[in-house]
C-alpha cells in the first residue's frame, strides 16, 4: 500500500475519533440550547464515567460513623427512622420507625434506610455543578433522606430519576449540585410506602418447641346457620390407641365426625403463620374497623390453646378488585387491619364437608368387644370378642390372642375379621346434615362397642330414595350412601353362616 493511502486512512481515523469526542462534548455543553428532538435523559455517560466512580457521597466528614436517626420523605410518606438498639462490638445498630414501636415492624428492611445511604459511593459523575437539575429528576426529588450522625453532623441525599441504563439512579447531596449515579437497587427501599415496612404476618408461628396444642377452634359465620366447632382429640396422644384417623382433631359441631388431616390442618392450625397480602390500616380507629366490615364481622374464628392463650380472628366478606378476591382481617383487640387472600383465610368459605372424613367406623378391629347387626330381612347376628389372656393389653394383642363368639357360640376369628373389614372399608358418600330421619324401620342397623374408649355407637341405614340410603349415627342424620351398599351389607350378613366369600363390590 502506498504511503499516501496509509496517511489518508490514518487521518480519517483520527478525525472520526475527534468527531465522536466533539459530539460527546456537545451533548454535555452547558451553553448548548436543547431542541424539541433532544431527549433530556440521554446524558452522555461515556464522557464522565471515567471519573467520579467510587466517590464517597454520604458520611460523617469522611469518617465511618453511626447514624442516630434519619428522615425519609418520598412521594407517599414521611418516615422518621430512629435507633432501636445501640451498636456493640459484635453487632451493628438496629432501627425502627418512630411512632410505630407498638407494631411488628420489619426492622431488617427499615435498617436499609440507614445502612444503604450511610457510606454510599457513586458509580459515575454525570454533571458537575449542574444548573439543570430537572433533567435528572432532582429539581423535585423522588425522595429526600436526611441522616443525623451521633456527632450531630447532618447530611442529605436527594434521589432523582433512573438513568437510561436502568441499573443506576441519579443523586446529589447537600454539598453541591453535582449529579452522580449510584446503584438503583441500593436505593430501592427509599421509595417504599409506610405499609411496606410493617410485617404482614397476622399471628406469628411459634417455634416448634413452643408450639401449643390447639384445644378448640370455633368458626362463626353469617352465611351458615350453625357453628363449626373443632376440638383436640385426646386419643391422638395415646400411643396405645390404634383407631381414629391421622388427624389430631375431630369435629363436634354441627356434626360429630373425624377430620381428613390433609384438608383440615389449614383450618385448625392456619391462624399461626397467616400472612397478609397487604395492609389496609395501621393504628386503626373504630371508623377504619367499620369501613372494613369488621365491627360486625362476617366471620369470627376463635382459637383456644393449651398454654392459656385465646386468639380471635375477625374476617370480612370477600370482595373483588382488579387483583382478584380478598377479605379484610384483624386480630380482635389488635390495631392493624390486613388484606388477606381467601385461599389463606379459608375460614370465610370452609364448610364441614370440606374437611370432614366420611369414615363411618374407625375403631381398630380388635378394639371392638361387642358388635351386632340387624337387618330388615330378619337376619340378625351378635358377636362378642374377648382376649384369651386378660393379662395381655389390647394394644399389644394379636389376632391369635382373641376369641370370637357369635350368638353365644364359638366362631372363626378370621371370618369375623373379614366381615369387619368389609364394614370399615367403605366411606360414606355425602353429608346429610339436618336431614329428617324417616319414620320407617332402618334397612339395617349396626351397634358396636370400642373397649378402648368404652364408647358404644349405633349406625342405622334408612331407605331415603330410589338410589340413596340415609345414615344416622346415634340417632342423628350424618351421611348418605348408595342404597346398593346397604343391600350388599344385608347380603353379607346372610353369608356370615354360609362360608361364602363376602361381597366387596356393589
Amino acid at each position: 500500500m502506498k504511503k499516501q493511502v496509509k496517511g489518508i486512512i490514518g487521518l480519517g481515523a483520527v478525525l472520526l475519533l475527534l468527531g465522536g469526542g466533539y459530539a460527546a462534548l456537545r451533548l454535555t455543553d452547558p451553553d448548548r440550547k436543547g431542541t424539541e428532538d433532544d431527549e433530556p435523559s440521554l446524558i452522555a455517560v461515556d464522557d464522565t464515567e471515567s471519573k467520579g466512580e467510587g466517590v464517597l457521597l454520604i458520611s460523617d466528614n469522611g469518617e465511618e460513623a453511626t447514624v442516630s436517626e434519619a428522615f425519609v420523605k418520598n412521594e407517599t410518606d414521611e418516615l422518621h427512622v430512629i435507633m432501636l438498639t445501640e451498636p456493640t462490638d459484635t453487632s451493628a445498630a438496629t432501627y425502627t420507625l418512630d411512632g410505630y414501636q407498638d407494631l411488628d415492624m420489619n426492622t431488617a428492611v427499615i435498617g436499609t434506610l440507614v445502612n444503604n445511604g450511610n457510606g454510599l459511593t457513586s458509580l459515575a459523575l454525570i454533571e458537575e455543578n449542574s444548573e439543570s437539575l430537572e433533567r435528572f429528576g432532582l429539581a423535585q426529588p423522588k425522595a429526600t433522606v436526611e441522616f443525623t450522625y451521633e456527632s450531630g453532623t447532618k447530611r442529605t441525599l436527594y434521589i432523582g430519576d433512573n438513568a437510561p441504563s436502568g441499573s443506576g439512579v441519579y443523586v446529589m447531596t447537600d454539598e453541591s449540585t453535582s449529579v452522580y449515579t449510584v446503584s438503583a437497587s441500593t436505593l430501592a427501599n427509599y421509595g417504599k410506602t409506610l405499609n411496606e415496612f410493617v410485617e404482614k404476618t397476622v399471628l406469628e408461628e411459634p417455634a416448634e418447641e413452643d408450639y401449643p396444642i390447639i384445644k378448640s377452634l370455633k368458626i362463626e359465620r353469617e352465611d351458615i346457620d350453625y357453628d363449626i366447632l373443632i376440638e383436640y382429640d385426646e386419643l391422638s396422644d395415646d400411643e396405645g390407641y390404634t383407631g381414629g384417623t391421622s388427624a389430631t382433631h375431630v369435629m363436634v359441631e354441627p356434626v360429630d365426625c373425624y377430620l381428613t388431616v390433609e384438608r383440615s390442618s389449614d383450618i385448625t392450625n392456619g391462624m399461626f403463620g397467616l400472612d397478609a397480602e397487604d395492609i389496609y390500616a395501621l393504628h386503626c380507629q373504630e371508623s377504619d374497623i367499620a369501613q372494613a366490615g369488621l365491627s360486625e364481622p362476617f366471620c369470627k374464628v376463635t382459637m383456644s390453646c393449651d398454654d392459656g392463650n385465646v386468639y380471635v380472628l375477625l374476617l370480612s366478606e370477600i370482595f373483588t378488585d382488579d387483583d382478584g378476591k380478598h377479605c379484610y382481617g384483624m386480630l380482635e383487640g389488635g390495631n392493624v387491619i390486613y388484606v388477606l387472600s381467601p385461599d389463606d383465610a379459608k375460614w370465610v368459605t370452609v364448610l364441614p364437608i370440606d374437611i370432614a372424613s366420611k369414615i363411618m367406623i374407625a375403631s381398630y378391629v380388635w378394639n371392638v368387644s361387642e358388635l351386632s347387626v340387624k337387618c330388615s330381612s330378619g337376619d340378625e347376628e351378635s358377636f362378642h370378642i374377648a382376649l384369651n389372656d386378660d393379662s395381655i393389653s389390647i394394644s399389644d394383642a394379636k389376632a391369635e390372642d382373641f376369641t370370637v363368639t357369635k350368638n353365644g357360640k364359638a366362631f372363626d376369628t378370621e371370618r369375623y375379621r373379614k366381615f369387619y373389614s368389609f364394614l370399615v372399608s367403605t366411606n360414606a358418600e355425602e353429608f346429610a346434615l339436618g336431614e329428617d330421619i324417616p319414620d320407617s324401620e332402618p334397612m339395617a342397623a349396626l351397634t358396636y362397642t370400642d373397649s378402648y374408649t368404652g364408647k358404644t355407637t349405633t349406625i342405622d341405614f334408612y331407605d331415603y330414595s330410589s338410589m340413596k340410603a340415609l345414615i344416622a349415627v346415634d340417632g342423628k342424620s350424618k351421611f348418605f350412601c348408595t342404597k346398593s351398599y346397604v343391600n350388599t351389607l344385608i347380603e353379607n350378613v346372610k353369608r356370615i353362616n354360609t362360608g361364602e366369600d363376602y361381597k366387596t363390590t356393589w
Side-chain angles (χ1 to χ4, degrees):
M1 183 180 293
K2 294 184 178 181
K3 289 184 178 180
Q4 292 92 329
V5 175
K6 291 182 180 179
I8 291 171
I9 294 173
L11 180 60
V14 170
L15 289 173
L16 180 63
L17 289 172
L18 288 174
Y22 178 73
L25 289 171
R26 290 288 293 164
L27 282 170
T28 56
D29 184 359
D31 295 327
R32 177 176 180 265
K33 295 183 179 180
T35 68
E36 291 182 358
D37 294 331
D38 287 336
E39 295 185 39
S41 63
L42 296 179
I43 305 305
V45 177
D46 291 342
D47 187 53
T48 57
E49 63 185 10
S50 60
K51 61 179 179 179
E53 180 179 1
V55 174
L56 181 62
L57 300 176
I58 298 295
S59 68
D60 186 0
N61 297 313
E63 300 292 329
E64 290 187 8
T66 299
V67 173
S68 60
E69 65 177 345
F71 286 90
V72 179
K73 182 178 180 180
N74 58 33
E75 294 177 308
T76 59
D77 291 290
E78 294 185 18
L79 310 171
H80 182 194
V81 184
I82 59 173
M83 189 179 294
L84 182 63
T85 61
E86 297 276 351
T88 67
D89 293 337
T90 58
S91 62
T94 62
Y95 298 87
T96 190
L97 296 182
D98 189 29
Y100 299 94
Q101 295 93 322
D102 58 325
L103 302 181
D104 188 14
M105 306 297 290
N106 190 329
T107 55
V109 179
I110 293 171
T112 65
L113 300 180
V114 169
N115 301 325
N116 288 10
N118 183 27
L120 180 68
T121 58
S122 64
L123 293 176
L125 171 64
I126 300 303
E127 189 168 285
E128 287 188 281
N129 301 317
S130 175
E131 295 181 358
S132 54
L133 295 177
E134 64 277 357
R135 292 186 297 163
F136 309 99
L138 289 168
Q140 294 182 327
K142 298 289 181 65
T144 301
V145 190
E146 182 186 84
F147 300 89
T148 301
Y149 289 90
E150 289 185 319
S151 65
T153 299
K154 294 182 183 293
R155 293 299 314 281
T156 303
L157 175 69
Y158 302 96
I159 303 172
D161 294 335
N162 286 334
S165 66
S167 60
V169 61
Y170 297 122
V171 300
M172 71 176 185
T173 70
D174 55 330
E175 291 189 326
S176 72
T177 58
S178 294
V179 177
Y180 297 84
T181 55
V182 299
S183 170
S185 61
T186 300
L187 302 187
N189 288 344
Y190 291 103
K192 288 184 180 293
T193 65
L194 168 63
N195 289 352
E196 291 179 275
F197 296 99
V198 182
E199 289 286 5
K200 292 182 176 61
T201 300
V202 178
L203 182 61
E204 186 177 357
E205 186 168 15
E208 185 176 353
E209 62 271 17
D210 298 324
Y211 209 103
I213 293 174
I214 299 169
K215 300 296 288 184
S216 69
L217 185 126
K218 185 177 184 179
I219 303 171
E220 303 170 75
R221 212 166 65 224
E222 286 189 351
D223 63 329
I224 51 179
D225 57 4
Y226 53 82
D227 296 336
I228 300 174
L229 179 60
I230 296 169
E231 292 184 349
Y232 184 69
D233 185 2
E234 300 292 344
L235 287 172
S236 65
D237 280 338
D238 192 337
E239 295 181 359
Y241 182 62
T242 53
T245 66
S246 56
T248 57
H249 291 74
V250 295
M251 187 185 300
V252 296
E253 291 181 15
V255 64
D256 185 7
C257 63
Y258 295 104
L259 297 179
T260 302
V261 64
E262 61 271 15
R263 296 200 302 266
S264 65
S265 58
D266 286 346
I267 301 301
T268 55
N269 296 58
M271 201 183 296
F272 284 128
L274 175 64
D275 288 327
E277 296 179 314
D278 202 353
I279 305 294
Y280 175 72
L282 300 175
H283 291 154
C284 54
Q285 305 297 314
E286 287 299 325
S287 57
D288 300 316
I289 296 173
Q291 288 174 7
L294 297 174
S295 53
E296 295 182 5
F298 171 75
C299 178
K300 179 178 178 180
V301 187
T302 304
M303 179 175 68
S304 301
C305 303
D306 70 339
D307 59 5
N309 287 315
V310 178
Y311 305 95
V312 180
L313 178 64
L314 309 177
L315 299 167
S316 74
E317 284 192 85
I318 295 173
F319 64 90
T320 303
D321 60 18
D322 292 341
D323 296 322
K325 294 183 177 182
H326 320 273
C327 66
Y328 296 118
M330 68 177 294
L331 289 175
E332 191 172 62
N335 55 6
V336 179
I337 299 176
Y338 302 91
V339 180
L340 301 166
S341 166
D343 290 337
D344 297 323
K346 295 181 179 180
W347 306 278
V348 293
T349 57
V350 70
L351 295 173
I353 193 171
D354 298 329
I355 58 175
S357 168
K358 296 172 186 174
I359 291 175
M360 290 187 287
I361 302 174
S363 293
Y364 179 55
V365 56
W366 302 121
N367 284 355
V368 174
S369 57
E370 303 285 344
L371 185 145
S372 63
V373 55
K374 182 179 180 181
C375 304
S376 57
S377 61
D379 296 290
E380 184 176 354
E381 305 290 353
S382 179
F383 297 92
H384 176 74
I385 304 92
L387 278 166
N388 297 326
D389 184 350
D390 291 339
S391 65
I392 301 174
S393 67
I394 294 176
S395 58
D396 296 330
K398 300 178 178 60
E400 56 267 26
D401 296 321
F402 290 90
T403 296
V404 178
T405 59
K406 181 179 71 70
N407 302 329
K409 296 181 180 180
F411 187 75
D412 181 63
T413 302
E414 179 61 12
R415 186 150 181 78
Y416 164 77
R417 187 195 66 78
K418 288 182 177 180
F419 177 69
Y420 189 81
S421 295
F422 162 75
L423 295 178
V424 299
S425 64
T426 307
N427 292 346
E429 296 169 18
E430 301 175 51
F431 276 96
L433 303 181
E435 291 289 337
D436 293 330
I437 297 175
D439 293 333
S440 60
E441 290 296 317
M443 296 173 65
L446 288 170
T447 300
Y448 67 94
T449 299
D450 188 317
S451 60
Y452 200 95
T453 64
K455 182 180 179 181
T456 297
T457 302
T458 298
I459 303 176
D460 295 315
F461 299 86
Y462 291 93
D463 188 348
Y464 183 81
S465 70
S466 60
M467 300 294 291
K468 287 183 179 181
L470 174 69
I471 303 171
V473 179
D474 293 332
K476 294 182 180 180
S477 57
K478 183 178 288 190
F479 303 115
F480 287 118
C481 70
T482 59
K483 193 182 293 184
S484 59
Y485 168 76
V486 185
N487 291 330
T488 304
L489 168 61
I490 294 170
E491 176 63 24
N492 281 338
V493 172
K494 293 179 182 293
R495 294 189 180 198
I496 289 174
N497 297 314
T498 67
E500 297 175 86
D501 289 341
Y502 299 116
K503 294 178 65 176
T504 57
T505 58
W506 49 91

